[in-house]
């Protein structure tokens, strides 16, 4: 997912029973529905997260105003704090991590 799609994800997009997230792309291909499969570990984590912020429509609400999604810089600054300043951006970080894991598991990309 792109940063915008992640930080603006809403609880209505999560299907806990089916283990998936359905959202309309907010970036490229506007209006096209995307289905993102979620592992059972992610579903469990989201169930716990919902207990903490179910008063907001967003999975990751803005700290000052829960009716808005978190700041566009939140994920970027988290990468900085992890030591990736000027070395990685969110989208590339996730793509390269996923590629490495899938290659190690024998998937050909």
């Amino acid at each position: 997912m792109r940063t915008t799609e992640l930080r603006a994800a809403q609880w209505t997009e999560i299907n806990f029973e089916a283990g998936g997230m359905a959202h309309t792309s907010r970036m490229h291909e506007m209006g096209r529905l995307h289905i993102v499969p979620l592992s059972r570990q992610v579903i469990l984590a989201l169930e716990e997260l919902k207990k903490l912020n179910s008063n907001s429509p967003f999975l990751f609400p803005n700290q000052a105003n829960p009716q808005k999604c978190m700041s566009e810089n939140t994920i970027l600054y988290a990468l900085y704090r992890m030591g990736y300043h000027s070395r990685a951006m969110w989208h590339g970080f996730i793509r390269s991590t996923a590629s490495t894991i899938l290659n190690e598991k024998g998937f050909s990309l």
Side-chain angles (χ1 to χ4, degrees), residues 8 11-12 25 39-40 43-44 46-47 50 55-56 74 95 98 102 104:
W11 290 115
T12 57
S25 178
S39 69
R40 60 182 169 77
I43 291 294
L44 290 172
L46 288 175
E47 287 172 345
K50 189 163 186 172
N55 62 329
S56 171
T74 302
R95 285 180 65 136
L102 290 169
E104 288 174 353

Side-chain angles (χ1 to χ4, degrees), residues 10 53-58 61-70:
Q10 297 187 26
N53 65 12
S54 61
N55 62 329
S56 171
F58 298 101
N62 183 294
Q63 188 174 4
N65 181 353
Q67 299 311 306
K68 292 184 177 181
C69 64
M70 75 173 156

Side-chain angles (χ1 to χ4, degrees), residues 60-80:
F60 305 104
N62 183 294
Q63 188 174 4
N65 181 353
Q67 299 311 306
K68 292 184 177 181
C69 64
M70 75 173 156
S71 164
E72 58 199 30
N73 290 320
T74 302
I75 294 173
L76 182 60
Y77 290 157
L79 282 176
Y80 290 175

Side-chain angles (χ1 to χ4, degrees), residues 13 16 19 27 30 36 43 45 62 66 75 78 81 85 87 93 98:
E13 298 172 338
F16 287 96
M27 300 278 297
M30 291 299 287
V36 178
I43 291 294
N62 183 294
I75 294 173
R81 286 189 294 276
H85 194 281
R87 295 177 33 206
F93 183 81

